[in-house]
Every structure is written in structure tokens, then in C-alpha cells.
């Protein structure tokens, strides 16, 4: 082996590794976590080559021994750099913490100190002697106890790193597998060559040649395979800063790369996602999305996922990854958190539904009011015209009948106006809960007597009251609204002479009033909306009414701290049950916003 050849090979190796270090430095934002271990690895290989050049060309034994020691100190960083590189590549940076890296580097640090002081203890090398190899004189060595320990330690790190790298590669499917294997093989050439010489298997040290060959191979990989593509979707600056999450799935359906946004959206750690089957992470979406096999089309879908106890809505777009032969080797999944958009859609839909209900409410109001006013006004107009034209031919009885008709129709319009005004007073707070302590049964009987002035009402209303009496806080204005509307409806929707029964009774600290009729009843499909404003059951026919009475009753009862319910069967009748407290009534305030919500419900 000639000195010139060795100097040429070492010089070429130094230049190559220097170029790789410079390239990795300028591409450090793209390389991401891999940049630093690559640079450290290249720098120490460069130092090794330069110091090896000094050792080979030195003319004195002392200089050769000093260079030999410095060369071996430079090599101490290679196993740790390789472990660091492997951890970055295989996404194990969470495992290789700074503290753990310092602990692993403790043995090389001790070894460096022992190399410097080897003459005092001979733990690293028991002897160093010059050995002639052709034109070159090298330092021959016999390893000491610590020297063999460090050999085992360093190659243990390298083997562990290789196992992690190979495990990661097997989980990547076909994506970039050739590039991974090529780079690992090229980096391992010197690692394999050096022990072959140390164990006496090779007669000469081929480490310089393997380093040069490795440098050529890595450089070729950089510029033909483009090393920046080794993990392009997980480490480049675009994916690291994008707001949408991105998962890279290999050909066998395993996740091998994620960006920070995906981790935040899914609420997972990188260590938990890498290597997991894609369908186990987004299984709900897998069942709903369209799988485009070989067509190159983008598939989309949506799913729900609970993240940190909160329900999130996710949207996913899936695209194929293809190799240089246009074969599908994996997929890229873009995940977007659309929770806010979904919430806005729900609010918008609720607002639109409320607007539709409000429009329908207005339409019902116009229809009912116009109908309820038009009919009485038409009857009044016709009756008035008849009196005007034919009053001379009419006797007193006929005239009285016509005036009675006009009075009745005016009364119907007054009822409608009174209902609208009562509802308005309930909404704007004009009706205040102002109770007086009064006897319950006597007060209700007095209010019923106001309605029983008419002979037909008195004949049909039956009252069942208990023998005992009790006092309670009663608001007569609100109670009058309840009785007038419930008893009035019972009379209106049950044909004469069917009776209407009002039953009063005391139960504990409550008072119960039931109003029962034997009328047309309420269809089951209309019962849920019975307390809606302007709503009337579908079987009322031409019976007049505003659709406001029961809403007024409900609000008047609730203002007194009570409750109302009903039971009904078509053509059999309806019973309304009103419950009011006897003592300590706590009125339920009917706020304006609640009333408006009820109006548009």
C-alpha cells in the first residue's frame, strides 16, 4: 500500500464528508431533527480522516502515537451520532431525551480521558508499536481491558440503532424503503470494515477506503435520490407549520409520519400514532369514506371524535402516493378540524328554523285574526243593512233579534282583542303576581259565577267542591284568566247540553282544579303543540277561536308557581288539570326572552 494512495483516499473522504456536512447545514430546516446528528457524524468523520492523514504521513513515532490517540478520540462520537440519527429517523426523539443522551455519552467521555492518560494505566491499549505495511508505517496496538469494553459498548449502540432503523423501515411499506436501506448500508460500510481489521480477519485497515466509498455513496444518494425526500412529509417546513393535520400512511395501512397539527387535532402523541394501523385511529371515517382504488381520485369523509373530553368534528381528504413507476405505495390524509364550522351550521340552521316558525306564526296570526274579524264584521254589516232597509217592516221582536246578533258578534271580536291584549300584558310584565290571602273554593266559585250569569252557562257548568275550605295566596286577575279560558273552551268545544264539570280538591300543600268536558277532544298528533301561540287543533272546524287562550292559561298558571296538564281522547272529551300551591308559592317569572322563544318554538 503506497503512501500516495492512502493520502489520496483520505483526502477525498475528508472533502466528501465536509460537503455532506455543509449540505446538511444549509438544508437543516428541511432535514428537521435529522440535521444535527448528520452534521455531527460528518464532522467527526472529517476529523478522523484529517488526523489519519497526519498519522500516515508522520515521520516520528511520537507524532504517530499522538495522532493515533486523537484519531480514536474523534471516532468516539460516531456511535452516539449514529444512535442520535437513528432516533431522529425513526421518530424516537421523545425516547432519546437530552438527559438520556448525556448518560449514554458518559462512557465515550471516560474513554477519551483514558486515551489521553493511557501511558499511566494501559487500560485502553496495553501496547503501541510501529508496524510496517508497504510504504506506510502505522501504529500497531494490543487492546487493554477498557479498550475491549468500549468496543463492545460502541458496537452495542450501533446494533441497537440498526435494529430501531430496520424496525422503522419494515413499518413504512414501499415508501422510500430503497432510499432508507441505501443510506443505512452506506453509513455502515466503515462500521463493518473497522472490526474486520481489528479482529485480524483483514490483513490491512480498509477503514479509509470504506469511508471514502461511503462518502461517495451518500453524496450520490443526496443528489440522485435526494436525501431531503427521506421524510419529506413529516419534516419539511411547510407541513410543520400548516394548520391542517397530515398523516402519511404506507402501503400496508400503517401511519409512519404525522405533523404537529395532526397531533393537536387528534389529541395524540407521535409515539402513540407512529406504526399504528390507520383504521384504528380513524375507524369511523374508514367506514364512511369512499375508497378510490387506483383511480387517483381524492376521497373525502367526516367523522366525530372525542378529544380531551370535547366532541370534535373532523373532515378528511385522502390522496394516493405514487412511486416513480406510478404505482400506489401509500396515502396522504389531510385532516381539518371543522368543529367551529359545524357549530355555526347548527346555529344557522336553528336561526333559519326559528325564522321559518316565526313566518309561519305570523301567517297563522294574520289568517286567524282576519278570519275571526271578517266573519263578525260581515255578519254585523249584513244585519245592519237589513235593519236599515227593512226596519219599517220588522216588529220589535225581529229588531231585538238583529240587535242581539250584532251584540254577540261584537262580543266575539272583543274576546279576540282581549286575548291579544292579555298575551301582550303577560309578555311585557304588566301582569304582576300580586296575591291576596283568600279562601280558595269561595274565590273560584265567585269567578265561575261571573260566567254563569248567562242561562245556558249556568245550566251546563257543574261544580264539585270539597266540604273543607283553605286559604291560599291567590291572584284573582291571573286566576280569572285561567277559569275564563278553560271553562269557556270546555263549553265551546262540547255540544249543548253536554255538561262541563269543575272539580276542586285539596291534596297536602297543593290545590287541584280539574275542568272536564265531553266534547270533540284533541287529536293525538296535535297535543304536543296545543300551547303554541295561534295553534288550533285540526278538528275544530268552524268553531271560532284565536289560538291564544291555552298559551295565556299556561303562562298565568306558571306565574302563580303552578302547573297545568291535560288528557284527551277524540270524540270523548278533554280534562285539564291545574295545580296551585297553598303555601309559600314561588311564582315562575315569565321572562320576555322565554316568551319570545316559546312564541317561535
Amino acid at each position: 500500500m503506497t503512501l500516495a494512495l492512502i493520502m489520496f483516499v483520505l483526502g477525498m473522504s475528508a472533502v466528501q464528508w465536509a460537503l455532506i456536512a455543509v449540505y446538511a447545514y444549509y438544508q437543516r430546516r428541511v432535514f428537521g431533527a435529522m440535521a444535527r446528528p448528520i452534521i455531527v457524524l460528518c464532522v467527526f468523520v472529517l476529523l478522523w480522516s484529517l488526523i489519519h492523514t497526519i498519522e500516515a504521513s508522520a515521520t516520528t513515532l511520537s507524532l504517530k502515537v499522538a495522532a493515533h490517540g486523537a484519531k480514536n478520540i474523534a471516532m468516539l462520537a460516531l456511535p452516539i451520532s449514529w444512535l442520535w440519527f437513528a432516533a431522529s429517523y425513526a421518530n424516537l426523539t421523545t425516547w432519546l431525551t437530552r438527559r438520556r443522551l448525556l448518560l449514554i455519552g458518559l462512557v465515550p467521555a471516560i474513554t477519551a480521558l483514558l486515551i489521553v492518560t493511557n501511558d499511566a494505566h494501559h487500560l485502553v491499549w496495553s501496547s503501541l508499536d510501529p508496524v510496517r505495511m508497504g510504504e506506510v508505517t502505522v501504529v500497531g496496538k494490543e487492546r487493554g481491558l477498557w479498550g475491549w469494553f468500549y468496543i463492545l459498548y460502541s458496537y452495542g449502540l450501533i446494533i441497537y440503532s440498526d435494529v430501531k432503523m430496520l424496525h422503522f423501515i419494515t413499518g413504512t411499506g414501499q415508501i422510500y424503503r430503497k432510499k432508507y436501506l441505501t443510506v443505512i448500508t452506506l453509513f455502515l460500510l466503515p462500521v463493518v470494515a473497522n472490526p474486520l481489521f481489528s479482529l485480524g480477519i483483514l490483513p490491512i485497515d480498509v477503514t479509509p477506503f470504506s469511508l471514502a466509498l461511503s462518502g461517495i455513496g451518500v453524496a450520490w444518494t443526496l443528489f440522485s435520490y435526494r436525501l431531503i425526500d427521506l421524510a419529506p412529509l413529516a419534516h419539511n417546513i411547510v407541513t410543520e407549520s400548516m394548520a391542517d393535520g397530515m398523516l402519511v400512511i404506507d402501503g400496508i395501512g400503517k401511519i409512519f409520519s404525522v405533523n404537529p397539527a395532526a397531533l393537536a387535532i387528534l389529541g395524540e402523541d407521535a409515539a402513540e400514532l407512529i406504526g399504528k394501523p390507520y383504521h384504528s385511529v380513524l375507524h369511523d371515517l374508514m367506514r364512511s369514506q369512499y375508497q378510490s382504488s387506483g383511480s387517483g381520485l381524492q376521497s373525502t369523509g367526516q367523522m366525530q371524535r372525542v378529544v380531551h373530553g370535547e366532541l370534535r368534528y373532523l373532515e378528511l381528504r385522502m390522496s394516493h402516493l405514487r412511486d416513480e413507476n406510478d404505482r400506489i405505495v401509500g396515502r396522504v390524509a389531510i385532516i381539518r378540524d371543522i368543529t367551529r364550522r359545524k357549530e355555526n351550521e347548527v346555529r344557522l340552521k336553528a336561526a333559519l328554523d326559528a325564522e321559518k316558525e316565526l313566518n309561519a306564526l305570523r301567517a297563522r296570526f294574520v289568517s286567524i285574526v282576519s278570519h275571526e274579524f271578517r266573519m263578525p264584521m260581515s255578519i254585523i254589516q249584513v244585519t245592519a243593512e237589513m235593519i236599515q232597509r227593512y226596519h219599517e217592516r220588522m216588529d220589535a221582536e225581529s229588531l231585538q233579534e238583529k240587535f242581539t246578533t250584532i251584540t254577540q258578534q261584537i262580543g266575539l271580536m272583543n274576546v279576540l282583542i282581549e286575548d291579544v291584549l292579555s298575551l301582550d300584558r303577560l309578555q311585557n310584565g304588566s301582569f304582576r303576581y300580586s296575591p291576596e290571602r283568600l279562601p280558595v273554593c269561595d274565590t273560584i266559585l265567585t269567578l265561575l259565577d261571573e260566567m254563569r250569569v248567562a242561562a245556558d252557562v249556568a245550566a251546563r257548568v257543574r261544580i264539585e267542591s270539597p266540604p273543607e275550605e283553605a286559604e291560599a295566596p291567590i291572584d284573582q286577575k291571573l286566576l280569572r284568566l285561567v277559569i275564563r279560558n278553560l271553562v269557556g273552551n270546555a263549553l265551546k268545544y262540547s255540544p249543548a247540553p253536554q255538561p262541563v264539570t269543575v272539580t276542586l280538591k285539596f291534596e297536602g300543600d297543593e290545590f287541584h282544579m280539574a275542568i272536564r268536558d265531553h266534547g270533540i277532544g284533541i287529536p293525538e298528533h296535535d297535543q304536543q303543540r296545543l300551547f303554541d301561540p295561534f295553534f288550533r287543533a285540526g278538528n275544530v272546524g268552524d268553531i271560532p277561536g284565536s289560538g291564544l287562550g291555552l298559551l295565556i292559561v299556561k303562562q298565568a298558571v306558571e306565574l302563580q308557581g303552578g302547573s297545568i296538564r291535560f288528557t284527551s281522547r277524540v270524540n270523548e272529551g278533554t280534562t285539564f288539570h291545574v295545580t296551585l300551591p297553598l303555601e309559600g308559592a314561588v311564582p315562575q317569572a315569565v321572562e320576555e326572552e322565554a316568551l319570545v322563544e316559546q312564541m317561535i318554538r
Side-chain angles (χ1 to χ4, degrees), residues 58-335:
T59 56
T60 64
L61 181 60
S62 59
L63 181 58
K64 283 184 179 292
V65 171
H68 182 77
K71 178 185 71 173
N72 280 275
I73 290 176
M75 290 296 287
L76 295 177
L78 296 187
I80 300 178
S81 301
W82 183 245
L83 176 63
W84 190 5
F85 172 78
S88 302
Y89 232 110
N91 291 309
L92 297 174
T93 52
T94 55
W95 173 83
L96 191 63
T97 60
R98 179 175 298 181
R99 180 181 179 183
R100 189 166 291 174
L101 190 61
L102 291 175
L103 290 175
I104 294 172
L106 188 60
V107 172
I110 295 174
T111 304
L113 180 62
L114 293 177
I115 288 175
V116 174
T117 60
N118 186 71
D119 291 340
H121 47 71
H122 299 288
L123 289 174
V124 181
W125 301 300
S126 58
S127 64
L128 294 171
D129 300 304
V131 176
R132 189 73 180 178
M133 297 182 64
E135 298 179 4
V136 182
T137 301
V138 297
V139 177
K141 55 195 174 187
E142 291 291 336
R143 297 188 187 275
L145 182 62
W146 186 269
W148 285 112
F149 167 74
Y150 180 74
I151 287 291
L152 295 175
Y153 179 81
S154 60
Y155 279 95
L157 289 180
I158 293 172
I159 292 172
Y160 177 80
S161 304
D162 294 343
V163 170
K164 289 298 182 181
M165 290 284 286
L166 291 174
H167 177 72
F168 176 71
I169 291 173
T170 57
T172 61
Q174 298 180 1
I175 302 177
Y176 306 113
R177 179 177 288 178
K178 292 180 181 179
K179 301 179 184 182
Y180 287 151
L181 292 175
T182 301
V183 172
I184 292 175
T185 302
L186 292 172
F187 270 121
L188 288 178
L189 280 177
V191 178
V192 175
N194 186 263
L196 291 178
F197 171 71
S198 300
L199 295 173
I201 299 175
L202 294 177
I204 60 173
D205 188 1
V206 295
T207 303
F209 298 95
S210 61
L211 281 172
L213 181 61
S214 179
I216 294 173
V218 172
W220 171 71
T221 305
L222 282 171
F223 298 108
S224 66
Y225 267 167
R226 296 189 65 187
L227 189 60
I228 67 170
D229 288 340
L230 285 173
L233 302 173
H235 297 289
N236 68 61
I237 190 63
V238 176
T239 58
E240 291 293 314
S241 60
M242 64 188 297
D244 290 343
M246 183 164 66
L247 301 178
V248 183
I249 301 101
D250 62 23
I252 60 176
K254 290 186 177 180
I255 298 172
F256 85 99
S257 181
V258 296
N259 70 342
L263 298 177
I265 291 173
L266 297 175
E268 301 279 0
D269 294 328
E272 297 176 353
L273 288 181
I274 299 299
K276 290 182 65 175
Y278 163 67
H279 62 80
S280 69
V281 178
L282 301 176
H283 51 87
D284 293 335
L285 188 59
M286 289 291 291
R287 292 197 297 266
S288 63
Q289 75 171 18
Y290 168 69
Q291 298 292 332
S292 53
S293 56
S295 63
L297 297 175
Q298 219 180 44
S299 57
T300 61
Q302 294 184 3
M303 66 171 289
Q304 299 178 12
R305 183 180 176 91
V306 177
V307 180
H308 302 311
E310 296 181 359
L311 180 64
R312 290 186 181 179
Y313 295 88
L314 306 180
E315 181 182 69
L316 182 139
R317 299 190 304 276
M318 186 81 71
S319 300
H320 287 145
L321 280 177
R322 299 177 182 271
D323 61 12
E324 59 274 9
N325 297 320
D326 202 35
R327 293 176 302 183
I328 297 175
V329 293
R331 288 172 291 173
V332 178
I334 304 297
I335 305 173

Side-chain angles (χ1 to χ4, degrees), residues 386-442:
M386 290 181 64
I387 294 174
Q388 183 179 13
R389 293 181 181 180
Y390 306 111
H391 66 279
E392 294 179 352
R393 304 178 187 178
M394 293 181 182
D395 54 20
E397 183 178 352
S398 297
L399 283 174
Q400 184 60 43
E401 180 181 345
K402 300 302 181 184
F403 287 132
T404 301
T405 299
I406 292 174
T407 302
Q408 289 175 345
Q409 298 306 314
I410 292 174
L412 291 175
M413 290 190 292
N414 283 334
V415 169
L416 178 60
I417 294 172
E418 183 61 30
D419 284 344
V420 174
L421 292 176
S422 297
L423 184 62
D424 180 66
R425 286 194 293 267
L426 285 168
Q427 288 183 12
N428 61 31
S430 297
F431 268 127
R432 299 290 182 182
Y433 179 59
S434 304
E436 301 177 67
R437 195 158 192 81
L438 300 170
V440 178
C441 293
D442 287 348

